Amino acid sequence: MSNPYGAATFTAAQFGQPAYGSGSGIVKAPQTRTRSEFVVAGTSLLIPWVVFTVNWALLSFTVRYRHQQLCWFVVELSFCLICVEAYFAYRAWRRRSIRDPTWCVFLCLATALGWVLGVSLGMVNYSAHMRLYYDVASLEMYVNIDPATTNGLQYLDAGRIVFTKDAYLDVSRAGGVKHDVAYCAAPVTTSSDKLASYDYWVVGTNCCSPTGEFFKCAGDPASPKAHSGMRLLDNGDVEHYRRAVEQAESKHGISARHPMFFTWVEDPVTSVNSHQEVGFKNFLLGTLIYFAFQLFCVALVGAGAFRLGHGIK
């Protein structure tokens, strides 16, 4: 007998019960089946998203910067979860003639994808934005520093320096070297006279000729608004900038006893905070997008778009 109301129905024989009357007796599907499917769908939605979010957060923010071992321990622990899910997915796959393994396999694959994306995006976000922010923000900020009367040894713990308002870039004493790209450096000074030591250098790549002429690493070097430096710490390019400074010393007959490297900015506070803001925005936007993507995939599986077996659930 067909069901005119479209409700999910099963014969009594399917539940191991004798049919009443003729063999065509009909009983309603148990309500626990619907509830269990909602639980499975919710689990398949949340676990991959949580793994993605936790790994991205751990590898982007303070935990990684201050507690790297703890950070990677949790990341590796979340990978162990994938291994456990893979074991149960494999068991379900082998028994697919008895029970549909779709949800088990989907949960394993979705969690693995979330783990890979969370780790990858976390590392990119940290390298591009958050590491620079933590490095600079953890150091001191000095204001009204005259590069003509101070030296680099006095401010080794500086992350940001606001020079005196008459400080400018002496592009006539810039230097550069070529190593795949052009590494450029120009000293900060307040005097046209030759200094005993030029210790404050503004640097950049591909913003001058290979020997330092036509220096434009700070936009307009003559801009009256910019007289601050944000410290460039060891990012792999420092050694090349040292060579650019050495080239300037040799070319212009100057000395740089304790060179420090900076990017030339108008507002060092806003500049460093902008990296934090971009890092947090990337994280929040990414978690929302991934949640929507995971919800879409769960809806597809729940609607029966992908089925790996034909057994009774």
Side-chain angles (χ1 to χ4, degrees):
M1 179 185 297
S2 61
N3 184 355
Y5 302 101
T9 56
F10 294 83
T11 64
Q14 286 179 290
F15 295 96
Q17 299 175 357
Y20 292 94
S22 64
S24 59
I26 303 297
V27 296
K28 290 184 178 181
Q31 294 300 316
T32 55
R33 181 176 182 274
T34 302
R35 287 196 297 269
S36 66
E37 284 199 346
F38 275 115
V39 171
V40 171
T43 302
S44 299
L45 170 65
L46 293 178
I47 289 181
W49 180 74
V50 169
V51 168
F52 169 82
T53 302
V54 169
N55 282 335
W56 192 353
L58 285 173
L59 292 173
S60 286
F61 302 125
T62 307
V63 176
R64 179 178 180 184
Y65 189 77
R66 300 187 182 279
H67 309 286
Q68 284 206 28
Q69 290 184 339
L70 175 62
C71 169
W72 285 107
F73 172 77
V74 177
V75 171
E76 292 167 1
L77 196 63
S78 65
F79 182 79
C80 293
L81 173 63
I82 299 173
C83 296
V84 172
E85 291 177 353
Y87 169 74
F88 284 104
Y90 175 72
R91 287 188 59 185
W93 174 258
R94 293 195 63 182
R95 301 176 62 189
R96 62 187 181 276
S97 60
I98 302 173
R99 186 180 182 88
D100 189 350
T102 301
W103 283 113
C104 282
V105 174
F106 171 77
L107 177 60
C108 176
L109 294 177
T111 306
L113 177 63
W115 189 91
V116 171
L117 290 177
V119 170
S120 302
L121 292 175
M123 295 179 69
V124 170
N125 199 35
Y126 182 78
S127 299
H129 302 289
M130 300 310 301
R131 181 180 178 181
L132 174 61
Y133 168 76
Y134 290 129
D135 281 344
V136 175
S138 64
L139 297 174
E140 297 294 332
M141 178 174 173
Y142 294 98
V143 179
N144 204 34
I145 304 303
D146 186 348
T149 59
T150 61
N151 61 70
L153 278 179
Q154 296 174 261
Y155 303 105
L156 290 179
D157 61 343
R160 290 161 288 180
I161 289 182
V162 180
F163 297 101
T164 54
K165 290 189 176 182
D166 56 345
Y168 65 94
L169 297 183
D170 188 352
V171 295
S172 66
R173 293 186 168 96
V177 293
K178 181 78 171 179
H179 183 81
D180 296 331
V181 298
Y183 292 89
C184 313
V188 182
T189 185
T190 55
S191 172
S192 59
D193 296 333
K194 183 177 178 180
L195 303 182
S197 180
Y198 291 86
D199 288 351
Y200 308 96
W201 293 79
V202 171
V203 297
T205 56
N206 288 334
C207 47
C208 69
S209 70
T211 55
E213 291 84 4
F214 311 110
F215 185 92
K216 294 183 179 179
C217 299
D220 181 6
S223 172
K225 296 181 180 180
H227 54 89
S228 302
M230 189 165 66
R231 182 84 172 271
L232 179 71
L233 301 171
D234 192 356
N235 66 346
D237 292 335
V238 168
E239 189 57 37
H240 298 300
Y241 291 131
R242 291 188 188 279
R243 291 177 53 203
V245 171
E246 291 171 358
Q247 193 269 353
E249 289 181 288
S250 174
K251 181 178 180 181
H252 303 295
I254 59 177
S255 175
R257 300 191 186 105
H258 310 288
M260 301 171 67
F261 306 110
F262 299 87
T263 54
W264 197 235
V265 296
E266 293 184 9
D267 184 349
V269 175
T270 301
S271 295
V272 70
N273 288 344
S274 66
H275 287 280
Q276 182 191 38
E277 292 173 2
V278 172
F280 274 115
K281 286 180 181 178
N282 288 344
F283 171 73
L284 292 175
L285 182 61
T287 53
L288 292 175
I289 291 176
Y290 188 79
F291 183 85
F293 168 75
Q294 188 64 21
L295 181 61
F296 174 73
C297 292
V298 168
L300 286 180
V301 175
F306 304 101
R307 288 294 171 186
L308 302 176
H310 303 284
I312 302 173
K313 295 181 184 179

